[in-house]
Amino acid sequence: MKEKLNALAAESAAAIAAAGSLDELESLRVRFLGKKGELTAILKMMGRLSPEERPVMGQLANSVRADLESALEAKKAELGEKALEEKMKAEALDVTLPGKHIETGHKHPMYIALDELKDIFIGMGFTVLDGPEVELAEYNFDKLNAPEGHPSRDWSDTFYFDKDSRVMLRSQTSPMQVRAMETMPLPIRIVAPGRVYRKDEVDATHSPMFHQVEGMVIDRHITMADLKGTLNAMVRRLYGENTKTRFRPHHFPFTEPSCEMDVQCHKCGGVGCPTCKGEGWIELLGAGMIHPRVLEMSGIDPEVYSGWAFGIGLERTAMRRFKIADLRLIFENDLRFLTQF
Ligand code: PHE
């Protein structure tokens, strides 16, 4: 039995030293120390020994087991370290390699134009307002002095939700004038950008959905001069210091007097060219002094207060700003187009 134990000790020490992996080591542990292992098998023969021999052999067996266990433990630590080292080598990261290019998006050209506009007006002390696209005809028309029967309320131009024509997709941002007058303390200085809807066929200059920015000022002693001064300041910021403007008489139900503002054509400088269709001027926006009846309907005394308003088309502003020829490009989301700005 002594020989068997010594042979086991030698054999197991050699096998453990030669083990190349943690799996291999585990199977050696089972082979030598397991319940059905070789040491257990030898110990089963203890019963056949004499009472004198038993403690001696027991001691030897215990020391063989202890050696085996510590050899296994030491090898396990060694192999574990080696495995970790290999893993680190395999997963090594070369921080000097060039990184993967991450495509970052950027602002849509129309929003670049919008943000420019907002900046200009915020700089002049205006508040930016947001409002509903599903609007009451009361706000889109009645309170803007376009009563029942007014041609702008026609079914052929307007998206209504009900047969009584009370709820609609707003056809202009001007209802924000009324919403501001009803909710804000005087004096008021606001711009209100947003989507508007009209029953137009899609072509190079029309879309049933487009964007406007409404602007409005109400205070004591506000005149047309304030309107012209503010709009000229805006145009100079948008199109350059020397940009010329002109104001033509026009009609809107909610302003009196009303006008349209043109800018001198940036292409030809006013001589006339294809861009301005030979006119020398390009129409930019509608504006005017708020009609006294509109002020009154929203509870503002027109004897004390006066104001002006304007509405500018955002797509057109962006098209001019970036020289985009076709409105449809703005909505098509084609990256070949969008990444140019
Ligand atoms: N709402 C008008 C339009 O859509 C523009 C406008 C706004 C005119 C404010 C005057 C004052 O054409």
Side-chain angles (χ1 to χ4, degrees):
M1 183 162 182
K2 189 176 170 185
E3 293 78 54
K4 278 196 173 141
L5 280 171
N6 285 332
L8 175 70
E11 195 188 336
S12 64
I16 289 167
S21 72
L22 288 169
D23 282 347
E24 209 179 305
L25 200 63
E26 174 58 15
S27 57
L28 288 176
R29 189 190 64 77
V30 173
R31 176 178 149 199
F32 295 117
L33 294 177
K35 259 191 211 145
K36 293 175 184 163
E38 291 181 21
L39 183 64
T40 316
I42 297 172
L43 291 177
K44 277 187 183 143
M45 305 188 305
M46 289 278 261
R48 286 188 236 143
L49 298 175
S50 65
E52 299 81 50
E53 275 176 315
R54 231 176 267 168
V56 183
M57 282 305 138
Q59 217 171 11
L60 182 61
N62 278 341
S63 103
V64 168
R65 178 197 292 281
D67 287 351
L68 233 162
E69 275 170 354
S70 64
L72 279 168
E73 214 40 59
K75 189 69 183 178
K76 192 174 165 187
E78 182 196 316
L79 285 174
E81 214 162 286
K82 214 170 95 190
L84 180 65
E85 226 166 78
E86 261 157 29
K87 192 171 174 223
M88 297 224 296
K89 229 184 261 171
E91 292 175 3
L93 186 68
D94 183 353
V95 292
T96 66
L97 282 173
K100 274 193 199 132
H101 180 67
I102 296 169
E103 205 73 58
T104 28
H106 65 95
K107 260 191 246 168
H108 188 283
M110 201 182 66
Y111 279 86
I112 299 175
L114 174 58
D115 284 349
E116 268 176 10
L117 265 173
K118 278 202 227 166
D119 271 355
I120 293 169
F121 282 98
I122 288 168
M124 293 193 279
F126 284 63
T127 301
V128 180
L129 288 190
D130 197 12
E133 290 168 34
V134 176
E135 184 55 284
L136 298 170
E138 186 188 347
Y139 285 88
N140 197 95
F141 294 127
D142 297 78
K143 289 181 165 179
L144 287 170
N145 201 28
E148 213 91 43
H150 193 276
S152 62
R153 303 179 70 134
D154 207 293
W155 270 75
S156 61
D157 301 325
T158 309
F159 293 104
Y160 288 106
F161 287 93
D162 57 331
K163 64 176 184 4
D164 300 328
S165 314
R166 299 315 309 175
V167 185
M168 57 180 287
L169 288 172
R170 66 180 175 188
S171 62
Q172 50 185 356
T173 44
S174 299
M176 289 309 290
Q177 292 181 28
V178 181
R179 291 188 174 272
M181 286 189 275
E182 288 187 352
T183 55
M184 295 174 80
L186 292 160
I188 295 172
R189 268 183 303 217
I190 57 116
V191 283
R195 277 186 274 274
V196 301
Y197 302 84
R198 292 180 196 175
K199 284 187 183 165
D200 282 326
E201 294 291 334
V202 175
D203 65 26
T205 53
H206 292 87
S207 156
M209 185 283 298
F210 59 103
H211 297 71
Q212 288 186 333
V213 179
E214 195 78 7
M216 182 178 76
V217 168
I218 303 175
D219 201 348
R220 294 165 197 265
H221 315 302
I222 295 293
T223 71
M224 194 92 185
D226 299 303
L227 169 66
K228 291 179 75 172
T230 309
L231 292 181
N232 280 332
M234 172 192 86
V235 162
R236 280 190 216 110
R237 286 280 303 277
L238 280 179
Y239 300 112
E241 267 314 305
N242 302 316
T243 314
K244 293 208 164 41
T245 58
R246 77 176 181 190
F247 293 78
R248 278 181 292 101
H250 200 74
H251 171 79
F252 298 105
F254 41 91
T255 47
E256 184 58 37
S258 304
C259 62
E260 279 190 330
M261 187 182 79
D262 301 337
V263 285
Q264 203 162 53
C265 178
H266 56 271
K267 263 274 167 63
C268 63
V271 189
C273 70
T275 302
C276 57
K277 299 190 186 88
E279 294 280 321
W281 297 89
I282 296 169
E283 180 200 317
L284 195 63
L285 55 82
M289 299 304 293
I290 300 169
H291 198 295
R293 212 177 304 155
V294 170
L295 291 173
E296 224 161 36
M297 277 189 277
S298 289
I300 294 171
D301 184 352
E303 298 293 331
V304 183
Y305 287 96
S306 55
W308 53 253
F310 74 87
I312 186 171
L314 204 49
E315 284 80 1
R316 289 223 204 143
T317 309
M319 285 167 78
R320 232 179 326 269
R321 166 88 169 63
F322 296 111
K323 304 189 171 55
I324 299 165
D326 194 316
L327 172 67
R328 286 167 285 201
L329 289 166
I330 290 187
F331 300 124
E332 274 168 0
N333 281 338
D334 188 329
L335 283 176
R336 289 170 301 178
F337 168 74
L338 292 174
T339 50
Q340 295 176 62
F341 304 98

